[in-house]
Amino acid sequence: SQTIHQWPATLVQPVGSPLSLECTVEGTSNPNLYWYRQAAGRGLQLLFYSVGIGQISSEVPQNLSASRPQDRQFILSSKKLLLSDSGFYLCAWSGDRDNEQFFGPGTRLTVL
Amino acid sequence: GQNIDQPTEMTATEGAIVQINCTYQTSGFNGLFWYQQHAGEAPTFLSYNVLDGLEEKGRFSSFLSRSKGYSYLLLKELQMKDSASYLCAVGSYNTDKLIFGTGTRLQVFP
């Protein structure tokens, strides 16, 4: 069966510090991968998605970036965090069958 | 363009029935999803409709009308644990993305 992992689960970082969040998927190959951010009490905002290694589509301009160094690994990064980067970051994957997405447990980021 | 609308908040009583509506606009429609998200947790899949009609799964049912761009999620015999946000999402053949609504926060009271 397929599983999706995210770490860390929670993170508190000072403004201006770098960020690296990791997402890995097991039990499937060549998944589509997605990074979402959800601010408190708000909907899901799609940040990046990837249909293959090295292929990244950015949805919104921001100080975040994403990379896909391996087929089942998706990394979200920032060189300098802003207060507005605080939120709940969710990674998701989907296969070929349909658009159904499966979410990881999420990372709660607080920027102080 | 693509757009999804659903109510922001709803309240209901334990044991009752509640219907959460979702209207959407998209090109190349390829299915409508409902997800449940408890506070502080990741969304979990509830239902998928790609053809018109009603899909029933236990206490939850989901309806789709493609011609009207409309879906609803029906929750029966409400329980306190059903208090959560319910996200409507639409897929498209033209993209690998799902477009999510902002979610409906449901509060169930005893």
Side-chain angles (χ1 to χ4, degrees):
Chain A
S1 65
Q2 301 89 0
T3 55
I4 179 169
H5 305 277
Q6 282 186 247
W7 62 89
T10 60
L11 192 59
V12 180
Q13 292 283 98
V15 169
S17 64
L19 173 74
S20 180
L21 302 181
E22 189 162 345
C23 170
T24 59
V25 182
E26 295 176 0
T28 187
S29 59
N30 197 32
N32 294 333
L33 296 171
Y34 307 84
W35 276 113
Y36 292 89
R37 176 170 60 207
Q38 188 174 37
R42 307 289 293 276
L44 294 174
Q45 180 187 31
L46 180 63
L47 302 175
F48 301 94
Y49 73 98
S50 170
V51 299
I53 296 175
Q55 300 177 60
I56 309 293
S57 297
S58 176
E59 290 296 296
V60 293
Q62 60 212 321
N63 70 321
L64 299 171
S65 62
S67 62
R68 186 169 176 175
Q70 300 180 46
D71 181 43
R72 289 167 288 178
Q73 184 184 30
F74 205 22
I75 297 173
L76 183 70
S77 304
S78 174
K79 293 182 180 176
K80 285 186 177 182
L81 283 169
L82 306 173
L83 285 174
S84 57
D85 291 326
S86 293
F88 190 42
Y89 287 82
L90 288 157
C91 180
W93 74 272
S94 69
D96 291 333
R97 186 172 63 87
D98 54 40
N99 292 112
E100 181 180 354
Q101 292 183 13
F102 303 88
F103 288 85
T107 295
R108 185 159 303 283
L109 171 67
T110 304
V111 182
L112 302 175
Chain B
Q2 294 171 305
N3 189 49
I4 296 183
D5 286 311
Q6 50 181 132
T8 305
E9 288 193 8
M10 298 183 71
T11 59
T13 306
E14 197 174 14
I17 299 174
V18 71
Q19 178 174 311
I20 303 174
N21 297 323
C22 172
T23 58
Y24 65 88
Q25 291 176 308
T26 189
S27 58
F29 176 80
N30 186 29
L32 186 140
F33 299 83
W34 284 97
Y35 284 84
Q36 181 190 59
Q37 185 179 25
H38 285 100
E41 297 181 11
T44 55
F45 171 80
L46 283 179
S47 68
Y48 171 64
N49 294 69
V50 66
L51 299 176
D52 290 350
L54 189 68
E55 295 280 342
E56 297 187 76
K57 192 185 293 185
R59 293 188 299 114
F60 294 2
S61 303
S62 56
F63 172 83
L64 175 67
S65 169
R66 289 171 296 172
S67 62
K68 295 182 180 178
Y70 168 69
S71 172
Y72 67 72
L73 180 69
L74 191 72
L75 293 78
K76 303 176 187 176
E77 302 169 17
L78 280 173
Q79 301 175 9
M80 298 296 291
K81 67 178 182 180
D82 297 329
S83 293
S85 286
Y86 292 85
L87 309 176
C88 175
V90 172
S92 169
Y93 284 114
N94 301 327
T95 176
D96 296 298
K97 302 179 288 186
L98 281 182
I99 305 301
F100 280 87
T102 54
T104 298
R105 184 165 165 256
L106 173 67
Q107 287 186 282
V108 180
F109 293 100

